[in-house]
Amino acid sequence: MFDVLIVGGGMVGASLAVALKPLNLKVGLIEAYDFGVAEQPSYDDRSIALSYGSSRIYQGMGIWNTLQVGVENIQHIHVSDRGHFGATRLEAAQENVPALGYVVESRVLGKLLYDELNSSEIEQFVPAKVFGLEQAADCVHVNIERNGIADTLQTRLLVVSDGTNSSVRDMLGIGVTRSEYHQTALIANVTTTEPHRNTAYERFTANGPLALLPLTQGRYSLVWTHRDEAVEATMQLDDAEFLSKLQAEFGYRQGAFTKVGQRAIYPLVLQKSVQEVAGRAVVIGNSSHALHPVAGQGLNLGLRDVATLADLLATAAREGTDAGAATLLADYEQRRKPDYAKVLRYTDSLVRVFSNDCGLLGHARAGGLLAVDRIPALRQWISRQSMGLNYRQARLSRGLGLRV
C-alpha cells in the first residue's frame, strides 16, 4: 500500500516525488516513457523560465545548488509592444533579489530530477501506463500495465500529473474548461551578435507575444507565437530566411540574429480542470491547468502546486494521519484557488489585449507600459507576480525544507 502514488513523471510529477523524499511516506511514481526518449515531451530541448519563487522551492528541496550550475539568470526584463511607443523595464536590483528568474533547458532539469529519484527509495514504474482505477473508502486501486504485464497498486492518495490531455483525469470524471487561442508557439534557440547581458525580452506583436530568454553559452531561447494558419510557412523557411523574418519582427535591439537551432511547434490553449479533487485523487500541474506561455507562468504555477501539497503531506506524515484524507485535499483545493484565479486571469488578459491590432487599444497599451515603468508600486506588483511571490507561501516556497 502506497501513501502517495504519482501518475506522470514530467517536471511537476517528478518534482513532487523529489520533494517528498525526506518524509516518512511510501511514495511511488508511474511514468509512461523512459527518461530521455523523444516521446517524453517534458525532457526535450525546450527551455524553461523558472521564476525566483520556483528557485526557492528547489532550494527548499535541497537541489538548487546543483541545478544552479546549469541555469542562466535573468537580471532585467524588457517588455514592449511592436509598432507603439513605450516599454516596461523590470530589474532584479530594484526588487532586492539575486535574479528575477532563471532559464534552464528541460533536459538539464529533467536529468537532475531523475538522478534524485534514482538515489531515493521511491518506487518507479517506468515505463508503465494506467488503464483503470477504482476508488474505495480507504484507498484507490490503480490498474497498470508494465512490460505487457497487468498489475494493481493501492494508494491512500493518487496524484494525477500526466499532462494536459490527462487520461487519468478523464478516468476520475473530472472535466475541463478549454479556450482556444488559435495560436501556436514556435520554439528554438538563437544567437545574436550582441551579448544577452542577462536580459529577457517580451515583445507583443499583432500575431502574439515573442519572447527571448537568456540561456547559457550566450544563447537565447526563442518563444515566437504565430497564428495557427501562419506557423507552417515559418517552419518551412531555411535558416537564413527564418532569421531574416525574426529580425523584422523583433528589431535590432540585440544586434543581428546569426544562428538558429532545431525548431519545434506547440499549440496554445487555456485549459482548467473544473475541480482539483475527486475522492482520494488530486490533479496538479498541466493536468489541472494549461496556460499560454506569455509571462512564463505555466511550470511555476505547477511548482506552487507541489509546494502546497508537499507541505500538507509533511503535516500528515508527522501526525501519522491519512495522506488521502478528505480534509487534507479540501485544504489543498482552497489554498490553490486564489493563485489559479489570479494567474489565469493575468495571462489570458495579456494575450487578448496585446494580440489585438486595434489602433486605439494600441495607444492604451503603450500608456499602460509607460505607467508600469514609471510607477514604483505598479512595477513592484508586476515584478512580484512574475517572480511568483504574490501568493500564500508554503515552506518550500520560502526556501525552507519540509518539517519532518
Side-chain angles (χ1 to χ4, degrees):
M1 172 77 75
F2 289 94
D3 294 298
V4 181
L5 190 60
I6 302 165
V7 181
M11 296 298 180
V12 172
S15 292
L16 177 63
V18 172
L20 300 181
K21 278 177 59 176
L23 304 184
N24 185 27
L25 294 172
K26 185 177 181 183
V27 178
L29 176 68
I30 302 170
E31 167 54 36
Y33 302 104
D34 283 315
F35 173 73
V37 300
E39 292 84 357
Q40 170 47 286
S42 286
Y43 304 122
D44 57 20
D45 286 332
R46 280 181 291 180
S47 295
I48 297 167
L50 290 175
S51 67
Y52 171 64
S54 291
S55 76
R56 297 205 302 189
I57 291 172
Y58 283 131
Q59 180 181 334
M61 289 164 54
I63 64 173
W64 179 246
N65 287 344
T66 303
L67 179 59
Q68 198 169 9
V69 176
V71 308
E72 188 61 88
N73 68 82
I74 300 173
Q75 292 294 318
H76 325 278
I77 298 176
H78 185 278
V79 185
S80 61
D81 188 10
R82 186 174 183 270
H84 296 92
F85 179 72
T88 292
R89 299 165 184 84
L90 308 178
E91 305 286 342
Q94 290 176 332
E95 304 304 321
N96 296 313
V97 293
L100 293 168
Y102 303 86
V103 187
V104 60
E105 289 168 287
S106 299
R107 56 183 174 79
V108 172
L109 176 55
K111 184 178 186 306
L112 174 59
L113 292 172
Y114 267 82
D115 285 347
E116 288 290 320
L117 288 174
N118 291 336
S119 66
S120 74
E121 296 182 358
I122 294 170
E123 190 168 353
Q124 298 178 52
F125 301 88
V126 182
K129 294 188 178 182
V130 176
F131 65 86
L133 56 85
E134 181 181 351
Q135 298 232 34
D138 61 346
C139 69
V140 185
H141 301 273
V142 183
N143 302 316
I144 68 168
E145 182 180 340
R146 185 184 188 190
N147 299 324
I149 301 173
D151 194 6
T152 300
L153 309 175
Q154 291 82 37
T155 183
R156 301 291 184 198
L157 173 64
L158 179 66
V159 180
V160 180
S161 185
D162 58 340
T164 305
N165 301 313
S166 169
S167 61
V168 180
R169 181 192 61 218
D170 294 342
M171 292 176 196
L172 291 166
I174 297 178
V176 298
T177 58
R178 184 180 175 95
S179 178
E180 302 287 344
Y181 288 116
H182 306 292
Q183 294 179 342
T184 299
L186 190 158
I187 313 293
N189 292 339
V190 297
T191 304
T192 60
T193 54
E194 291 295 316
H196 60 56
R197 300 184 182 88
N198 301 103
T199 301
Y201 292 94
E202 185 93 62
R203 185 159 176 77
F204 292 97
T205 76
N207 297 314
L210 185 162
L212 288 174
L213 306 174
L215 267 175
T216 56
Q217 302 173 11
R219 301 165 297 159
Y220 265 113
S221 172
L222 168 69
V223 183
W224 188 1
T225 304
H226 285 64
R227 298 190 190 280
D228 287 343
E229 64 273 14
V231 70
E232 192 55 39
T234 304
M235 285 292 287
Q236 293 303 320
L237 297 174
D238 64 30
D239 285 359
E241 293 169 331
F242 179 91
L243 292 172
S244 177
K245 183 175 181 178
L246 175 60
Q247 194 83 66
E249 196 78 354
F250 181 77
Y252 285 85
R253 187 174 293 275
Q254 276 303 120
F257 289 95
T258 61
K259 186 177 180 180
V260 58
Q262 183 177 351
R263 308 171 216 167
I265 56 175
Y266 301 92
L268 303 177
V269 298
L270 173 64
Q271 182 171 291
K272 180 69 188 70
S273 62
V274 297
Q275 64 199 68
E276 281 21 91
V277 173
R280 288 179 166 271
V282 58
V283 293
I284 68 171
N286 281 357
S287 299
S288 166
H289 40 76
L291 313 179
H292 195 288
V294 65
Q297 295 290 302
L299 175 63
N300 298 299
L301 187 63
L303 290 176
R304 295 198 291 275
D305 292 344
V306 168
T308 302
L309 186 57
D311 221 3
L312 293 167
L313 289 171
T315 299
R318 283 197 316 275
E319 298 177 353
T321 56
D322 187 348
T327 51
L328 184 152
L329 295 179
D331 195 1
Y332 171 81
E333 199 165 33
Q334 286 303 119
R335 291 190 190 191
R336 296 302 296 134
K337 275 184 179 178
D339 193 2
Y340 293 156
K342 189 177 292 185
V343 170
L344 267 63
R345 184 169 59 248
Y346 175 62
T347 56
D348 189 51
S349 296
L350 283 176
V351 175
R352 299 191 186 281
V353 170
F354 281 93
S355 296
N356 190 316
D357 56 6
C358 168
L360 289 176
L361 187 56
H363 294 305
R365 294 195 302 254
L369 289 173
L370 281 170
V372 172
D373 194 51
R374 296 182 179 182
I375 300 174
L378 186 55
R379 187 177 61 241
Q380 184 182 53
W381 187 93
I382 294 292
S383 295
R384 289 183 62 82
Q385 180 73 25
S386 299
M387 290 189 289
L389 302 180
N390 279 344
Y391 314 99
R392 178 175 178 174
Q393 301 288 295
R395 281 187 64 82
L396 289 180
S397 297
R398 287 177 278 149
L400 304 175
L402 297 175
R403 290 194 181 99
V404 297

